[in-house]
Amino acid sequence: MDGYFKPGGIRRRVSFQIIILLTLALTANLLAMLYLVREQTLNSTEAMLENTALVLQEKIEQRLNYLLENTELLSSNQLMINALTDSEGRERYLPSLVNNFQKGKDVLSLNVVDYAGNAIYQTRNSLPQYNNSSELRQALAYRKIAYRLSKDNHNIEVISPIEYYDTTQGAVVVVFDLAAIINRHIAKDETSYVRLLSKGNEIYQSHYNPKEHYVTYTHQKISPDSLFNQLQIELQKGLPAKAFNAQITQAILPLIILGVLFILIGAYFAFRVGSRIVDPILELNRRVETSKQQRDVFCSPLGTHDELEDLAKAFDERTLELQHQAEHDSLTELPNRVLFLDRLQQAIKVSSRSKQKLAVFFIDLDRFKEVNDSFGHDTGDALLQVVSENIVETLRDSDSIARLGGDEFAVLLDHVEHEAAIASVLDKILNIFKEPFNLHHRQIYTTCSIGVAVYPDNGTSAEELLRNADSAMYKAKDEGRYNYQFYTKDMTDLAYKRLTLENNLRSAIRDGEFKLYYQAQTDMRSNELVGVECLIRWHKEHEGIIPPDVFIGLAEETGLIVQIDRWVLQEALSQYQQWMKEGLKIGVISVNLSAVQLTQRDFIEFVEKAIKRYDIAPENLMFEVTETAIMRSPEQALDILNKLKELKFGLALDDFGTGLSSLSYLKKLPVDKIKIDRAFIKDIPEDKEDMNLTKTIIAMARNLNLDIIAEGVETQEQIEFLTNNGCYEAQGYYYHKPSSAKDMHPMLLEKSTDAARS
């Protein structure tokens, strides 16, 4: 039973609630019935008391009227008249006449008086004198019978005039025993009490005990001409509370027994009804719990054909929807990593039995972050949807594709017979990216890099194959992007090193391991300082200085370059402010901008706050940006550069000549200076081709009214060549190597002193 009625279980709660409600309803009904029984018993008791009081009153009044009539007959008897006037007749006739009258009439005393009220005959010596009685005077005067309650003992006094030849000669005064009259009409075994009250005073009582409680009825339905009304008598009948309660108990005891029986029967049926209600709910709960472990278990049908059945169906639909959401990407509706790994694991089992190969592709869109940053996430999402649809079209029905997250996709090719079949699919996927994608009235150019892992050659588990395909994808990235690479063992080491480098890079940002170095920019004609370029260095403990070409590319791919660039800008401005306070002549300080920074919407706001904080004039700050960085997102980069130009910042095109920009596009760029890349300078004067190219760049810059500075100047011959051809600013080891702010200080002090003297 404890298992059936699990503590806190819905069966127990529902059954108990139904039982409680039913018990309350039956109890309320029983109490209402008991109340009605009591009221009915009270009403019937009061009606009984009323009837018996009415009957008793009628009987008493009948008796009193009988006595009054007999008293009048006595007073009008000729013998009574003769006795009043004849003393002899009085002696002879009155005793027998009176005795005869008193028989059976509850007479206490009888008095015959003359007109003056003097007694001429008495049955008792102690009878009062009536000569001063106002009632006697009125009865004699009005010649009419009179009656009253005696004041001392509450008996009935009746005065009946005696007339002789139409004159009143005297009266018969009779005192009747009221208690005896009433007792004639009350049974000895009477359980109810009787009380007569006159003006609030008790004049009679029978079976009445003041200490007991009664159900009392006061008889008030009395006609105005009745004797009770004339005598001002009030009749009360009462039933002892014990007797009344005994009647109620006798009436309600069967009801109580029946009510308890109904409650017990109701509780049993309530339990049955509760079980019928709860059983489908518990079955639904059981199926829900089972479905958590077994995906093929559904909650419907329950067979109830009601709202619970609808709930079970809705739960199944919601479960399938949640399963779909849990296993599919919401944007592309492709399977996600969870479902892909499950399918891959199943395919591995099949391939293991059939001894066939399968291939896993790991596809990553190149520079997808730049699309998001340049055109917004809506365009990025649309690109992912179009790419996924195009890849699906290149695959067989038996193949699987999934979006792993971000811009990463995975493809499963099963039943692969040879690598040529794999290469054919790979070429189809790469061909998707030959033409631009038309999205939101824009042409979006992008490519992808693909890594391939083959079962069982490159792994025997789903996780291992996907991990190795990921490593091969990074190899494709390193090989220039927009290609595919098959996994080889050394790729695992490369991927591990890449992951380690990324983790170390994040730690370096957090722990402040970066340092700024500064390289002077010199006017080759006067040997004067015209500016400094800020160069970042990573000082890693136990490893020394890590060069920028090792980590900058990774920082751009992961987006960490944004934090690095902004740290560089603030650190450079802080140091520049310090030098200015010391009175040092620095010229223009230059910092590099990455391609990713050119896509940040808040970059301009950040720069404005930075120069305001360090109180640096925009003319003293120059941003250097490469052709490659501009060409990644030309429209957005041009917008940022124009805003910087409007704010009067200097702009330099770095590594000029190594990019892919056209000269016509160069005219649109709001740059002030061109930096000739060291690749063209290092072999001068030995390489004639480099010399010709450098001359062309200088001439072009002059024609565009742009300043020029050469990078990587290391020899006197290079200086002479550059100055002879119109390039007068240089940056290189011939003049100064990149140095820390501390090491730069003596040189800056010397240059500032020389400038002050001249």
Side-chain angles (χ1 to χ4, degrees), residues 345-356 415 455:
Q345 193 62 48
Q346 298 302 320
I348 290 173
K349 292 179 180 178
V350 173
S351 297
S352 175
R353 291 193 295 267
S354 62
K355 305 299 181 182
Q356 288 185 317
H415 307 301
Y455 171 86

Side-chain angles (χ1 to χ4, degrees), residues 105 176 282-283 296 323 342 373 380 390 407 441 550 600 629 643 684 757:
K105 294 184 176 61
F176 294 100
L282 293 178
E283 175 60 19
D296 56 343
Q323 287 179 356
D342 180 69
D373 293 338
N390 289 341
D407 59 344
H441 309 292
V550 173
Q600 302 302 304
K643 289 179 180 178
I684 293 176
R757 289 174 182 172

Side-chain angles (χ1 to χ4, degrees), residues 237-410:
K237 285 278 288 185
L239 186 67
K242 293 180 181 179
F244 175 74
N245 292 334
Q247 293 180 18
I248 295 178
T249 301
Q250 186 177 5
I252 68 174
L253 186 59
L255 291 176
I256 293 176
I257 296 174
L258 189 61
V260 172
L261 183 61
F262 279 160
I263 289 174
L264 294 176
I265 295 174
Y268 170 74
F269 282 103
F271 163 73
R272 297 298 301 273
V273 171
S275 294
R276 292 190 62 183
I277 294 174
V278 170
D279 284 346
I281 300 176
L282 293 178
E283 175 60 19
L284 176 59
N285 179 69
R286 185 192 66 79
R287 295 186 185 184
V288 169
E289 294 298 325
T290 305
S291 66
K292 294 179 181 179
Q293 308 297 329
Q294 304 177 24
R295 295 176 55 180
D296 56 343
V297 174
F298 293 95
C299 297
S300 63
L302 286 174
T304 58
H305 306 293
D306 56 12
E307 291 83 354
L308 193 62
E309 185 76 57
D310 296 337
L311 178 62
K313 292 178 181 179
F315 185 86
D316 287 341
E317 293 173 359
R318 182 58 177 164
T319 299
L320 292 174
E321 181 182 351
L322 290 175
Q323 287 179 356
H324 181 83
Q325 292 176 357
E327 297 175 343
H328 290 77
D329 172 54
S330 60
L331 178 64
T332 62
E333 291 299 321
L334 295 177
N336 60 14
R337 180 184 293 268
V338 175
L339 183 56
F340 182 80
L341 288 174
D342 180 69
R343 290 182 177 179
L344 179 54
Q345 193 62 48
Q346 298 302 320
I348 290 173
K349 292 179 180 178
V350 173
S351 297
S352 175
R353 291 193 295 267
S354 62
K355 305 299 181 182
Q356 288 185 317
K357 293 185 177 183
L358 60 84
V360 175
F361 299 170
F362 198 107
I363 304 172
D364 185 89
L365 301 188
D366 298 326
R367 299 189 179 93
F368 176 74
K369 188 177 186 304
E370 296 174 13
V371 175
N372 262 344
D373 293 338
S374 301
F375 305 108
H377 289 281
D378 290 342
T379 300
D381 291 345
L383 177 61
L384 292 173
Q385 290 172 328
V386 172
V387 168
S388 65
E389 292 170 359
N390 289 341
I391 295 177
V392 169
E393 291 178 359
T394 66
L395 303 177
R396 301 170 298 179
D397 292 339
S398 60
D399 299 331
S400 295
I401 179 176
R403 183 189 176 201
L404 303 181
D407 59 344
E408 298 175 341
F409 297 88

Side-chain angles (χ1 to χ4, degrees), residues 55-81:
V55 171
L56 180 60
Q57 179 212 343
E58 290 176 351
K59 288 182 178 180
I60 293 173
E61 288 204 355
Q62 286 177 0
R63 181 64 177 174
L64 290 175
N65 285 325
Y66 167 76
L67 296 176
L68 292 176
E69 290 173 358
N70 276 270
T71 302
E72 285 185 305
L73 289 175
L74 177 62
S75 64
S76 62
N77 190 292
Q78 190 63 42
L79 293 177
M80 180 61 69
I81 297 171

Side-chain angles (χ1 to χ4, degrees), residues 516-518 532-535 565-580 586 589-592 614 616 620-622:
L516 271 192
Y517 277 53
Y518 304 88
V532 293
E533 180 183 3
C534 301
L535 303 170
D565 272 2
R566 297 191 179 190
W567 175 85
V568 168
L569 178 60
Q570 293 191 93
E571 186 70 14
L573 293 179
S574 176
Q575 185 59 58
Y576 189 83
Q577 182 188 53
Q578 181 63 35
W579 284 333
M580 293 296 291
I586 310 301
I589 187 167
S590 300
V591 295
N592 290 281
Y614 295 104
I616 305 297
N620 293 329
L621 177 61
M622 176 169 285

Side-chain angles (χ1 to χ4, degrees), residues 230 251 488 600:
Q230 295 174 26
T488 58
Q600 302 302 304

